[in-house]
Amino acid sequence: MDKAKELKLAVDRLNCVDALMGGGKFADIVLTGGKVVNVITREIYTADVAILGKYILMVGDYSKLIGAKTKVADVSGKYVMPGFIDAHMHFESAMLTVTEFSRLSIPTGTTCLISDPHEIGNVLGPVGIKAMAEEAALMPQHVFCRVPALTPDSPGLETAGYDITSKDIPEMLEYPTVSGIGETQGISAIRFVYEHNYPVIKDTIASAIYARSAGKEVDGNAPELFGNELAAHIICGGTDISCHETTTKEEAVEKLRYGVYMLMREGSTQRNMPECIRAVTENGLDSRRAILATDDMLAEDIAKTGHMNDIIRRTIRQGASPVEAIQMATINPATWLGLSELGVLAPGKLADIAIVDGRLEDMEVTEVYLGGKLVAQDKELLIDLPEHTYPDCVKHSVKRGPVTPEDLMVAAAGSAAKVNCIGLILDQNLSDAIAADMKVENGHVVPDVTGDLLPIANVGRHGQKDIGRSFVKGFKMKYGAFAESVAHDTHNIIVMGTNYDDMAKAVNRVIELQGGLALVKDGEVIGDMALPVAGLITDELNAAELTERMSYLTGLVKDELKCEAHAPFMHLAFLALTTSPKWKLTDKGVVDANNYCVIPTVAESKS
């Protein structure tokens, strides 16, 4: 903290003491008659909340704190609780700038965001991360960024736009709002990384030690890790790590026993909380290290159902007590993150407050205070957000020429082939491994639309010519194709379709847009949207416009292309994620994530 901030804090605290001790100062605002949710003691009781400036004076009897200018707000019958913290999220997944994401999330009661900008880091490296961190510093919400320890996550299996290593960590940790290193995905499959890419282990340990020495934290990323592998992953990150990739109760139990901060993910397409929470509701484990996070949220989902308030609502439905669920989005993440001024309603804490009307378990937020100021009411934002323009250096990120239909085809000899295909698993970033018998004609494997084996390709866009090709089962799409420059985590161009002509057309439209989404049917582009910032984010549409556009495009995929998978763009994007099991597709080809290797798309040709 610099001297000016120290002096301001000293003055603020002295003013609070003067008000409490009868020194001629009084509360600015008093919320009276509310049912206070005490996340420290897990109680609910009627009390008043007095606020001076940005801070809470006290929770209790306000009678001696009323002055001539004190504003008294009657919240009788409503629940008063700390503002919510999303402990792990990516702005890029919503395709929104930090500003526009805040516009959606603040009215839902979310007052703090822990952002991991590794998506833009994979495309642009430190330049992109710095641009996002600088925007985050302008927000009325508390926004903290966690920088990647490594890009790409799986060196040798995929191509990023910039290779981040420990050499970049000292600079990035100095960016505004940066509080540590984000999810250490490079050591997720630690057994196979250890055996096939040992330098990644050493580099991650070096980055973690440096970050810890600088007073920063380090997140983990440990999908399906147990025993020795989980222990090794924890040690690489510096022992006190988090994990948002837990998908089973058994994992949750072991991680909580090891002291891992278990971030129970509940996003738009990755819904793991119902399984994770069983460690608490069924096994009775202590929930202090159980934390709620979204990871990846679509803008239209936040607009429609809410943000952390909705995740709390879902957690209550899974059997957690309401106050315990609220703890998982307030005091629990604040304690883990060392955010001593956030997460509780108590003297001297920041007056970040969410007020819920109606039944507590419904979590309908009606008022939101940030730093003692009413910033949202009845789902409407009451404050102006600062305008922010992204620099030109984070745009024009697609570096390749157009493709042909033949570029996307899977070559094979004979008249049939056993093909290594990817199986979509709805609402997970896990995928299945499928060996399918398919027809071969004119030297290429033939798509099987009836059998739901559709061609998929990952087209390099960072200057490399590589294209990975395979087939995917699970979308049940009947017509056309769609492509996007959002493909976790290296964000090349991923495309899926029923025929190669439409697929090539969709890819080329994304290239022409310099990043974005494109839908094609019968050779015509029927819908698209540009994502100018790193091919991941729009700075041309506001939150409402983006939500409307994405709802329209999603509707086209469903109605025109007859795709049965919901949230098709996000589900497709995760089929490139090499750090979660089992098989994925990168620009290098089909990746066996469990064994850290690229495998041939055609396993066997048959005559």
Side-chain angles (χ1 to χ4, degrees):
M1 188 182 299
D2 61 36
K3 292 296 182 182
K5 289 183 178 178
E6 288 178 4
L7 180 59
K8 178 66 166 59
L9 181 59
V11 170
D12 288 342
R13 287 186 174 173
L14 187 59
N15 286 338
C16 289
V17 171
D18 286 342
L20 291 164
M21 294 291 98
K25 290 185 171 61
F26 300 94
D28 293 327
I29 301 170
V30 176
L31 308 176
T32 67
K35 292 181 281 190
V36 169
V37 178
N38 191 316
V39 296
I40 302 171
T41 59
R42 207 178 285 175
E43 297 177 278
I44 300 175
Y45 49 85
T46 300
D48 310 309
V49 180
I51 301 167
L52 178 61
K54 298 191 300 181
Y55 299 98
I56 295 172
L57 283 173
M58 65 175 293
V59 179
D61 181 5
Y62 73 95
S63 58
K64 295 181 180 180
L65 298 172
I66 298 292
K69 296 183 179 179
T70 302
K71 179 180 178 181
V72 178
D74 185 359
V75 293
S76 297
K78 298 183 179 182
Y79 294 91
V80 182
M81 64 198 70
F84 311 131
I85 300 169
D86 189 343
H88 178 82
M89 54 80 64
H90 306 276
F91 294 110
E92 301 97 321
S93 294
M95 302 179 186
L96 288 173
T97 62
V98 181
T99 304
E100 292 305 316
F101 189 97
S102 293
R103 193 181 306 282
L104 282 179
S105 67
I106 290 173
T108 70
T110 303
T111 55
C112 180
L113 303 166
I114 311 302
S115 163
D116 188 334
H118 74 230
E119 318 293 358
I120 199 169
N122 267 273
V123 178
L124 298 168
V127 169
I129 293 168
K130 185 177 182 181
M132 184 171 283
E134 288 175 343
E135 184 190 11
L138 303 174
M139 292 301 101
Q141 273 175 315
H142 311 284
V143 182
F144 299 95
C145 295
R146 314 282 255 196
V147 300
L150 181 74
T151 64
D153 297 313
S154 302
L157 305 184
E158 56 187 344
T159 307
Y162 184 97
D163 294 348
I164 289 175
T165 65
S166 57
K167 73 181 186 305
D168 301 293
I169 294 297
E171 175 190 338
M172 294 191 299
L173 289 180
E174 293 298 318
Y175 294 160
T177 74
V178 170
S179 63
I181 290 175
E183 52 188 280
T184 48
Q185 294 192 102
I187 53 169
S188 291
I190 192 162
R191 167 65 60 190
F192 299 101
V193 176
Y194 184 85
E195 294 173 354
H196 301 289
N197 208 338
Y198 188 69
V200 168
I201 304 282
K202 295 193 293 183
D203 198 68
T204 301
I205 290 174
S207 295
I209 289 173
Y210 183 89
R212 301 283 187 185
S213 71
K216 309 284 187 176
E217 290 113 7
V218 180
D219 294 342
N221 188 289
E224 297 187 348
L225 296 188
F226 294 91
N228 290 10
E229 294 178 12
L230 177 58
H233 184 92
I234 291 169
I235 290 170
C236 283
T239 75
D240 193 23
I241 67 163
S242 65
C243 178
H244 65 280
E245 295 284 352
T246 307
T247 58
T248 67
K249 183 179 81 168
E250 290 71 26
E251 281 185 79
V253 167
E254 184 161 352
K255 286 170 183 173
L256 288 173
R257 287 173 175 170
Y258 273 163
V260 173
Y261 288 95
M262 182 184 64
L263 276 53
M264 299 182 293
R265 177 170 55 195
E266 189 73 0
S268 288
T269 61
Q270 304 148 282
R271 298 185 174 176
N272 308 129
M273 175 275 296
E275 182 68 19
C276 294
I277 197 66
R278 294 173 58 210
V280 175
T281 58
E282 295 178 1
N283 288 42
L285 298 191
D286 193 305
S287 63
R288 284 176 293 175
R289 294 199 176 207
I291 295 170
L292 296 173
T294 63
D295 198 11
D296 301 285
M297 283 290 287
L298 295 168
E300 55 263 44
D301 286 347
I302 298 174
K304 186 184 303 179
T305 61
H307 187 192
M308 293 309 297
N309 64 322
D310 184 49
I311 310 309
I312 295 169
R313 181 188 301 134
R314 296 188 211 174
T315 306
I316 295 168
R317 290 173 183 164
Q318 293 299 321
S321 72
V323 181
E324 190 172 33
I326 293 167
Q327 286 178 313
M328 294 172 182
T330 55
I331 190 172
N332 290 10
T335 301
W336 162 50
L337 297 161
L339 300 174
S340 59
E341 291 187 317
L342 306 181
V344 299
L345 303 182
K349 305 301 184 183
L350 284 169
D352 294 350
I353 300 169
I355 298 176
V356 168
D357 198 6
R359 299 193 316 159
L360 182 58
E361 53 265 41
D362 292 337
M363 291 302 295
E364 291 295 336
V365 175
T366 55
E367 293 105 337
V368 182
Y369 287 82
L370 258 173
K373 182 178 181 179
L374 182 64
V375 295
Q377 189 166 28
D378 297 329
K379 300 182 180 179
E380 294 294 328
L381 192 66
L382 303 179
I383 58 173
D384 293 327
L385 298 180
E387 292 187 5
H388 181 77
T389 302
Y390 271 88
D392 204 52
C393 63
V394 300
K395 301 182 179 180
H396 313 294
S397 62
V398 178
K399 301 172 182 176
R400 78 161 298 128
V403 301
T404 67
E406 290 73 24
D407 292 332
L408 308 178
M409 295 178 180
V410 174
S415 59
K418 186 173 288 294
V419 181
N420 291 326
C421 306
I422 298 161
L424 173 70
I425 301 177
L426 291 174
D427 296 328
Q428 302 283 349
N429 67 16
L430 308 175
S431 59
D432 208 351
I434 297 173
D437 291 320
M438 302 185 69
K439 293 180 180 179
V440 175
E441 294 179 359
N442 301 318
H444 294 98
V445 180
V446 179
D448 182 0
V449 177
T450 303
D452 189 32
L453 286 169
L454 305 181
I456 182 173
N458 193 315
V459 179
R461 70 148 164 136
H462 302 305
Q464 80 276 31
K465 295 181 179 179
D466 298 325
I467 299 176
R469 309 164 184 86
S470 186
F471 296 84
V472 60
K473 186 178 185 67
F475 283 92
K476 298 180 181 178
M477 196 167 81
K478 302 302 182 187
Y479 305 101
F482 64 95
E484 56 184 316
S485 53
V486 180
H488 298 282
D489 275 326
T490 53
H491 299 291
N492 290 290
I493 299 172
I494 194 163
V495 60
M496 185 204 72
T498 59
N499 67 88
Y500 292 109
D501 289 337
D502 284 352
M503 289 171 65
K505 184 87 171 182
V507 170
N508 291 336
R509 180 55 180 157
V510 171
I511 294 170
E512 184 181 357
L513 291 170
Q514 274 297 297
L517 289 66
L519 288 72
V520 175
K521 182 180 180 183
D522 297 330
E524 298 294 330
V525 176
I526 61 171
D528 60 24
M529 184 177 72
L531 297 172
V533 179
L536 303 173
I537 289 171
T538 175
D539 62 350
E540 299 173 344
L541 303 177
N542 63 32
E545 291 167 339
L546 181 279
T547 298
E548 182 180 357
R549 187 65 182 169
M550 282 303 299
S551 294
Y552 171 71
L553 293 176
T554 301
L556 285 181
V557 177
K558 177 182 178 182
D559 297 332
E560 293 293 326
L561 305 189
K562 302 300 180 183
C563 178
E564 295 186 21
H566 70 93
F569 296 104
M570 187 170 281
H571 275 116
L572 178 62
F574 278 110
L575 293 183
L577 184 64
T578 60
T579 57
S580 64
K582 295 178 181 174
W583 288 354
K584 298 297 173 68
L585 185 71
T586 75
D587 61 310
K588 299 296 185 182
V590 177
V591 171
D592 181 344
N594 288 339
N595 292 294
Y596 202 87
C597 62
V598 176
I599 61 175
T601 300
V602 176
E604 180 185 355
S605 294
K606 302 177 181 180
S607 57

